[in-house]
Every structure is written in structure tokens, then in C-alpha cells.
Amino acid sequence: MTATSDTTPAAGAPCVLVLRALGLGDLLAGVPALRGVRRGFPGHRIVLAQPASLAGLALATGALDAVFPAEAPGRAVPALAHWPGPPPDVAIDLHGNGPESRDALAALRPRRLLAHACPDGPGWRAQAHERDRWCGFLDDYGIAADPLDLRLPAPGTPSPAPGAVLVHPGAASGSRRWPAERFAAVVRCLRAAGYRVVLTGGPGEEALVRSVAERSGAHDEDLLAGGLPLAELSALVAGAALVLSGDTGLAHLAYAHATPTVTLFGPVSPRLWGPPPSPRHLALWKPGPPGDPHGRTPDARLLRIDSGEVAAACLTLLRQGRTRPAPRPEVARAN
């Protein structure tokens, strides 16, 4: 086995198995809780059940000893029957509040199970921020966790576009996807102000990124679509002057690296999934009834955010940070 998938308990070390088999943003929002688990069980081996593709980033948090590969479509609960070792000493459900995730862990017969759905489990904090919710869950079990303990160490990989403004127009669902033509208008404004703008996109978002590029006049070398390796993406975000995106995993990666952000919220309030309090982060949102975060069409609240408002927010943060426009690649080579 590789180091990222080795779940064999060390000699004499009991194991804590944590289940949070979700996406990038969920992993990063769970980092404060994972660090609380690490501090709460100093003599245990901490293993996280999550998608193998996120193993490198998860281990970089310093909260874990290993990753146990586990994933299911959407936000479903994965099977854990392939767990290779003896029953965990402690199992912790950070995946959800229902019986499915509790039962998946209970089937491994841990000595102790911490879960919302246990008969004596804590109540579900429906209106809490995601970081606060899971830290509060642990606190109810006597395990201290700090919701603001979310920073990641600086990546060891160099950024492919240091000092650029990153614009990420994609999102996992249509309801959180601001229109491409509005992203393009903001990109034109930032480029006119002298900033290098790099467009990013995940797998399957190539056409969307190309559409924003064509509408904004962005150059081919400033398109990073199709999904970068996670280590390179982390370095790109950490070295950026600013990240503009919707409510996506990339925004949470920027929060974790303290990179300035402008994040566009629609169906879900930033009170539930937004950035930590900081003048480096601006969350744009129009109040109203909550929408469907998994809907197919852009949320009505998201559409009330106009491109001029977004461009002004980006330029405000860039100028407050006294960020100089990053040179284009050919200029950098000429120097």
C-alpha cells in the first residue's frame, strides 16, 4: 500500500477512524474539526475515510496519519466494508447527521462511536456555519476544536502563475454558477486595469472556461481548464493575488491559504459556508429565502449580483493589498 492508503494501526497505537467522504470544500471546512480530533486523541492513529484523490491535501493538514479511500456518488455514504484492520477504538461521524453514516461506522464495531444519530448524540445545529457545526459537535463530546484553525501550510510546489488573479467560473451545480458573460465582463475590467487573469476549471468545464476566455479576450496561456493536479492547484491558489469564484471548493482552498477572495453566493448564505472573518475576504450575497444548492439553473439571488459590483469588489481588495499587476509570461521571460 501507499503511504496515503495505509490504514494498518501502528504497533500499540489504537485507531480513530473519522468519516467525511465528501468533496474538496467539505474536507477544508472540516479541517478545524479534524485538528480537534488530533489534539483530543494524541496517542491514537488518526485515519480519515474520504476520496483517495484528496489524500495529499488531507495529509498536508497535519491532522491525520493516513487516509482510508472511501467515496460514493454525490453526498451519499460510502461502503466501509473494505476496512482492513481490527475494529477502530473510536469512530467519528463527520459526514452527516443521519443513520446511514452512523450505521456504516457502527458496522465496523468500534469500541466507541461519536455520531449525531446515536441515541445520546448531540443535536444538529441546522443554522450553524459548517466549521462551527462540527467543532461544536466535538465540543459536546468534550473535544476542543477551534473553527478558525483552518490554515494550510505553504505548498512545496511552485505556482504556475504567481501573482495572477484567478477566476473560476464553474461550480458543481447550476444554481451556484454565475453566468459566463458576467465573469467575462469582470475579466475584461481586471485585464484593462493591468492585472494578469488566469481562468481555471475542473474536469468537464473546458467549454465554460473557453466561453469566458473568448468573451473576455483572455489568452490561451491563461487558461487552466480540465482540472489541475491538486498539489499544483493548491500552489496556484496560494500564490494568487486574488481568487474570484462562486461557492465552490476552490474558494475554501483560498480561505485555507489566506488568499484574498471575492466569493459569489446564491442559494446558500455565506453565514453557513462563507469565509472566515477577515478584511481579505468579501462574500457577495443578496438576502432572501434559501434556494436549492444542487439545482440546475442559476439561483435568483445569485443573478441579482451584477458584474460591476463584482469588479469593484475585486479591485478594492487588490488595491487594499497594494498588489501590483502580475507580468504576462512573455514579459517575465524577457526580464
Side-chain angles (χ1 to χ4, degrees), residues 19 71-73 75-80 95 100-102 104:
L19 174 60
E71 58 186 302
R75 303 182 71 80
V77 177
L80 302 178
H95 190 93
E100 296 85 1
S101 50
R102 175 204 62 194

Side-chain angles (χ1 to χ4, degrees), residues 22-50:
L22 299 164
L24 174 61
D26 301 277
L27 166 64
L28 294 169
V31 165
L34 292 171
R35 286 179 172 153
V37 172
R38 171 79 283 170
R39 290 189 295 268
F41 296 91
H44 285 63
R45 180 170 170 80
I46 311 299
V47 178
L48 175 65
Q50 64 146 46

Side-chain angles (χ1 to χ4, degrees), residues 74-138:
R75 303 182 71 80
V77 177
L80 302 178
H82 56 300
W83 173 253
D89 183 57
V90 181
I92 302 178
D93 182 4
L94 297 185
H95 190 93
N97 66 334
E100 296 85 1
S101 50
R102 175 204 62 194
D103 292 348
L105 288 169
L108 301 180
R109 303 182 69 181
R111 180 187 63 82
R112 184 184 181 198
L113 175 59
L114 281 56
H116 277 291
C118 286
D120 60 347
W124 179 251
R125 296 167 169 83
Q127 297 304 312
H129 191 285
E130 185 73 0
R131 292 187 296 271
D132 296 329
R133 173 185 294 131
W134 293 109
C135 289
F137 164 79
L138 292 176

